[in-house]
Amino acid sequence: MKKITAYITTIFLTFCFAACVEEDEFNNSPTGNFDALWSIIDQRYCFFEHGRQQFGLDWNEVYHKYRPMTEQEISERELFDLMGDMLRELRDGHVNLTSEYGTTFYWDWKLNYPINFSDSIQRNYLGHDFGMNSGIKYSTLMPDSIAYTYLGSFESGFSNGNLTALLMGLKHCKGLIIDIRNNGGGQLTAAEDLASHFTKEKIHCGYIQHKTGTGHNDFSSPEPLYLEPGQGAIWLRPIVVLTNRGVFSSANYFVMLMRELPHVTILGDKTGGGAGLPFNSTLPNGWGVRFSACPILDKNGVITEFGIEPDTLVHITSDDWNNGRDTMIESARGIIKSFYDKKSEEN
Amino acid sequence: MKKNSLPKFILLVIAIVVAVASQAQSLHADSINPYRVVVRSSQHGISLLNNLDTYLSGYNHTGTGYTFTHETLRKAHFGSYDFKYQTLLHATLGYTNLHDNNQYSLMAGRRWSGYHPFRVNDRLELLAGAQVLLSGGALYVPTNGNNLVSLKMHLAVAGTAMAIYHLPLARNHCTLRYQIDIPLAGLLFSPEFGQSYYEIFGLEDYGGTLCFSHPVNTPSWRHTLSADIPIGNSTIRVSYVADLYQTKVNNLRTHLYNHSFSVGFVRTIYKVKHNDPLNAYNPF
């Protein structure tokens, strides 16, 4: 019996000494939820150093600015608004707080700048009989025989078959305008898939990093990003990509890829940025937080979080706006025409 | 030992253990013992889950799940050495949440164990041995963006022990069993702290995703308490399993606590080679 007792004791001791893997948890109170949100961002957000350089971001100062307000009596709704205000200090469109009260956003990356796009004016170019394939609207601008395509989102992916059919349908055109104005992003891989149909060589386009620890500067070594040729049709004639400040996230990444191609011109306004791959996490009260976690850098190692400058800066003029004319599309037509003019002169 | 040679060494050890186990099976087929009694049990049960995965969320998600377990236990030989051989398959489909944040999980494992028996008396038998375990699965949070899934994969050599007690019950007996499995060394898949699966699988940057696991960074246990109760001509197995899987790697913390209560039938299969039932051997 003594032996049995010894065996059972051993088994129980094994249970008792079992080390538990836990995470420091904050309590579900206004201060607890505030501290949890601040800590998640403090440990996992990836653009602190970039924010410090660009506009003097100091996350500890932000804590001391907002934390005292949570120590007073505060309603859930007020707490949600307060935490939304705190997150806006990061000036990052990828940072949101989500709850039953809605989602907080930072919109200044777009709203502080000219809109440079009108779907009413766009109708004058697309016409009424435009085609649509994989979310891409397309038509042919005459008499120049230039293809105009519009893509408002990268939320849906593309198949090689669809893109090949689209490009083969436009093979009679001399050049291609890819209008991604107001494209707020979507899937990174969709941007890569589309761009892959415009190169026949593997091209180094940038880098991606990720955080390896909780420190603000704990990053992995940059992993190169390459654009590889897609399967099916490859378009190598002149391309103009139209951009405005509404081009964000995956669309910003698409511009980063396309600007490395020799036959592509980026035209319009600076893009809106959003160069961090967002992750999500949770607060003790169940509210969700989204934040930039993995920085994407261009080929020169520059973070494009605050946008990419176009090769040719063009805004829609007031006159053109009033006359239903899109200055950017007209400039793009001019660039493609001048390419062929130069070519014919050389010949 | 060089850091990068350690995974190869572990794989070699696992390969040897698996080879010995398979050799044991083939030797058994040629052995002079004409009978093999295999005890098989399939069980279905409910699980109480408590999941923490800081890659997805820093908070415990609790909920329930469905568990399936299939076990075989039999006597085996390696030359003249007798031992007991157990295979175990377990899988749990779970649903957990924190307020309105839902997580779905599917975890499965396969274990191959060899035991050296120590008979204490007529009723109590103790067994100790080694185990190769392969477990894996995924946690899925539909509302997350680029970190919506946390994949799990663990290949390890574990220490395992078992105590079997035959409790007299009317004209028959009830078999009580306790088993503990503790992973000792192996290989573990984990993304780095803020690494996306796009980077791992899309760009094939596997970097530090394959980690050496040991009891300090993977303090995990699987405790099994079961009772085989004879009812009429059948035997019913009722069991409680505390599967406590924990990892602390790449600055990420995970615990998957699965307390499952299962019930199922036990089948004792006599594999007869010759008509000599006296040589039948019951692994219990």
Side-chain angles (χ1 to χ4, degrees):
Chain A
M1 191 62 195
K2 279 183 181 175
K3 278 185 179 176
I4 295 170
T5 311
Y7 296 138
I8 293 170
T9 308
T10 308
I11 289 162
F12 271 99
L13 282 175
T14 310
F15 270 111
C16 294
F17 287 109
C20 289
V21 173
E22 295 288 350
E23 180 73 346
D24 294 335
E25 289 196 1
F26 296 94
N27 57 47
N28 186 8
S29 66
T31 50
N33 282 298
F34 179 89
D35 288 348
L37 177 63
W38 186 87
S39 294
I40 288 168
I41 298 296
D42 185 55
Q43 294 177 2
R44 306 190 70 179
Y45 183 66
C46 68
F47 288 129
F48 281 119
E49 183 57 27
H50 194 57
R52 190 187 63 76
Q53 290 170 7
Q54 295 288 319
F55 57 92
L57 173 65
D58 183 338
W59 194 234
N60 287 318
E61 198 177 287
V62 169
Y63 180 82
H64 294 299
K65 178 179 172 185
Y66 290 92
R67 177 64 155 74
M69 290 181 248
T70 65
E71 294 164 6
Q72 301 154 10
E73 196 165 316
I74 187 168
S75 69
E76 269 203 351
R77 174 76 218 205
E78 288 168 335
L79 180 67
F80 177 72
D81 292 338
L82 179 79
M83 296 206 294
D85 289 343
M86 179 178 78
L87 293 180
R88 273 188 276 275
E89 298 275 357
L90 297 167
R91 303 189 191 180
D92 186 335
H94 271 142
V95 179
N96 316 103
L97 182 66
T98 302
S99 77
E100 61 269 34
Y101 302 111
T103 302
T104 66
F105 287 96
Y106 172 77
W107 286 118
D108 288 359
W109 54 271
K110 178 180 179 179
L111 301 181
N112 279 355
Y113 303 96
I115 191 164
N116 272 321
F117 180 73
S118 162
D119 52 2
S120 301
I121 296 174
Q122 188 195 38
R123 280 185 203 170
N124 299 334
Y125 294 87
L126 272 176
H128 290 256
D129 54 351
F130 61 87
M132 197 153 174
N133 190 335
S134 302
I136 301 174
K137 295 175 183 173
Y138 62 92
S139 67
T140 305
L141 305 180
M142 298 305 285
D144 324 321
S145 194
I146 291 171
Y148 171 77
T149 60
Y150 180 76
L151 179 60
S153 168
F154 280 106
E155 288 292 346
S156 305
F158 305 105
S159 72
N160 285 320
N162 281 20
L163 289 175
T164 297
L166 173 69
L167 295 176
M168 291 304 285
L170 298 172
K171 67 180 180 184
H172 60 281
C173 296
K174 291 178 184 172
L176 178 63
I177 297 171
I178 304 174
D179 188 350
I180 57 164
R181 286 175 290 177
N182 284 4
N183 184 324
Q187 299 176 34
L188 217 57
T189 48
E192 286 173 352
D193 289 343
L194 180 58
S196 72
H197 283 265
F198 305 120
T199 181
K200 60 178 182 180
E201 289 171 4
K202 182 178 176 180
I203 290 178
H204 176 217
C205 293
Y207 298 93
I208 189 169
Q209 286 181 292
H210 60 264
K211 289 207 71 184
T212 55
T214 55
H216 286 190
N217 294 310
D218 292 346
F219 287 105
S220 64
S221 53
E223 177 72 14
L225 293 166
Y226 293 98
L227 178 62
E228 298 194 40
Q231 291 182 341
I234 303 287
W235 183 283
L236 296 172
R237 292 175 194 161
I239 297 172
V240 180
V241 178
L242 304 187
T243 58
N244 67 353
R245 293 278 183 164
V247 171
F248 192 72
S249 191
S250 297
N252 186 69
Y253 179 60
F254 178 72
V255 174
M256 197 187 92
L257 299 176
M258 293 294 283
R259 72 171 176 173
E260 298 304 329
L261 304 179
H263 58 300
V264 173
T265 304
I266 311 297
L267 184 144
D269 197 1
K270 189 178 178 181
T271 63
L277 210 64
F279 271 31
N280 295 67
S281 193
T282 324
L283 303 186
N285 60 4
W287 293 356
V289 57
R290 186 175 80 141
F291 53 89
S292 299
C294 310
I296 294 176
L297 300 79
D298 70 11
K299 197 175 72 173
N300 302 314
V302 176
I303 293 173
T304 57
E305 169 64 9
F306 293 110
I308 297 170
E309 297 285 356
D311 298 322
T312 308
L313 181 67
V314 176
H315 290 281
I316 298 182
T317 62
S318 304
D319 283 348
D320 280 347
W321 187 277
N322 293 333
N323 294 322
R325 197 167 172 272
D326 193 316
T327 320
M328 290 188 186
I329 295 177
E330 294 301 335
S331 301
R333 292 169 85 163
I335 284 175
I336 293 170
K337 274 197 286 186
S338 66
F339 171 83
Y340 284 101
D341 290 346
K342 271 186 197 170
K343 205 173 174 184
S344 58
E345 278 174 20
E346 285 168 8
N347 292 336
Chain B
M1 183 177 288
K2 284 181 184 175
K3 195 178 174 185
N4 57 3
S5 64
L6 199 55
K8 288 178 185 171
F9 175 73
I10 293 163
L11 283 172
L12 181 66
V13 170
I14 290 168
I16 291 168
V17 173
V18 170
V20 167
S22 57
Q23 177 71 359
Q25 292 181 66
S26 62
L27 281 172
H28 179 268
D30 299 333
S31 71
I32 54 169
N33 193 344
Y35 293 96
R36 187 170 73 175
V37 180
V38 180
V39 177
R40 282 188 187 159
S41 170
S42 294
Q43 293 176 270
H44 303 268
I46 57 162
S47 288
L48 301 177
L49 305 170
N50 181 319
N51 295 344
L52 167 75
D53 188 326
T54 57
Y55 184 75
L56 303 171
S57 164
Y59 294 89
N60 292 345
H61 286 56
T62 55
T64 54
Y66 161 75
T67 290
F68 172 75
T69 311
H70 180 76
E71 183 202 357
T72 63
L73 183 63
R74 65 177 174 82
K75 186 183 176 185
H77 308 275
F78 187 72
S80 60
Y81 173 63
D82 288 352
F83 66 101
K84 288 185 181 176
Y85 179 66
Q86 181 198 47
T87 61
L88 190 65
L89 172 70
H90 52 90
T92 299
L93 183 65
Y95 167 74
T96 55
N97 63 4
L98 171 69
H99 302 286
D100 290 334
N101 291 282
N102 302 325
Q103 270 188 13
Y104 302 91
S105 60
L106 176 62
M107 295 297 297
R110 189 89 164 100
R111 293 163 190 261
W112 299 267
S113 312
Y115 294 93
H116 180 79
F118 303 94
R119 186 165 285 279
V120 180
N121 54 43
D122 288 345
R123 291 186 183 171
L124 179 65
E125 188 179 14
L126 300 178
L127 303 99
Q131 182 181 77
V132 172
L133 77 88
L134 175 65
S135 65
L139 302 183
Y140 169 58
V141 182
T143 51
N144 276 12
N146 290 298
N147 61 330
L148 83 170
V149 169
S150 178
L151 295 178
K152 308 288 174 198
M153 191 60 71
H154 190 200
L155 176 65
V157 175
T160 178
M162 200 187 288
I164 299 170
Y165 185 74
H166 299 286
L167 180 72
L169 192 72
R171 282 186 292 176
N172 215 322
H173 67 262
C174 168
T175 302
L176 303 176
R177 184 162 59 121
Y178 168 76
Q179 180 178 343
I180 182 169
D181 307 326
I182 303 176
L184 299 174
L187 295 171
L188 177 70
F189 170 83
S190 170
E192 292 192 332
F193 181 70
Q195 190 176 21
S196 66
Y197 284 94
Y198 163 76
E199 191 178 337
I200 298 170
F201 297 115
L203 305 179
E204 298 179 357
D205 176 19
Y206 300 109
T209 57
L210 200 58
C211 310
F212 170 56
S213 76
H214 47 76
V216 175
N217 69 6
T218 314
S220 301
W221 302 263
R222 181 181 166 89
H223 305 273
T224 305
L225 276 171
S226 70
D228 288 3
I229 306 163
I231 297 175
N233 292 327
S234 303
T235 302
I236 289 177
R237 176 172 293 174
V238 180
S239 67
Y240 160 70
V241 176
D243 193 349
L244 311 174
Y245 178 73
Q246 308 184 110
T247 63
K248 289 183 288 185
V249 291
N250 290 341
N251 288 312
L252 294 170
R253 290 166 176 264
T254 300
H255 77 223
L256 305 175
Y257 298 155
N258 180 352
H259 298 271
S260 62
F261 302 88
S262 301
V263 63
F265 285 99
V266 179
R267 287 189 303 156
T268 304
I269 300 165
Y270 296 84
K271 295 194 171 177
V272 180
K273 279 186 146 184
H274 303 286
N275 294 325
D276 187 7
L278 291 175
N279 278 336
Y281 175 86
N282 186 336
F284 280 141

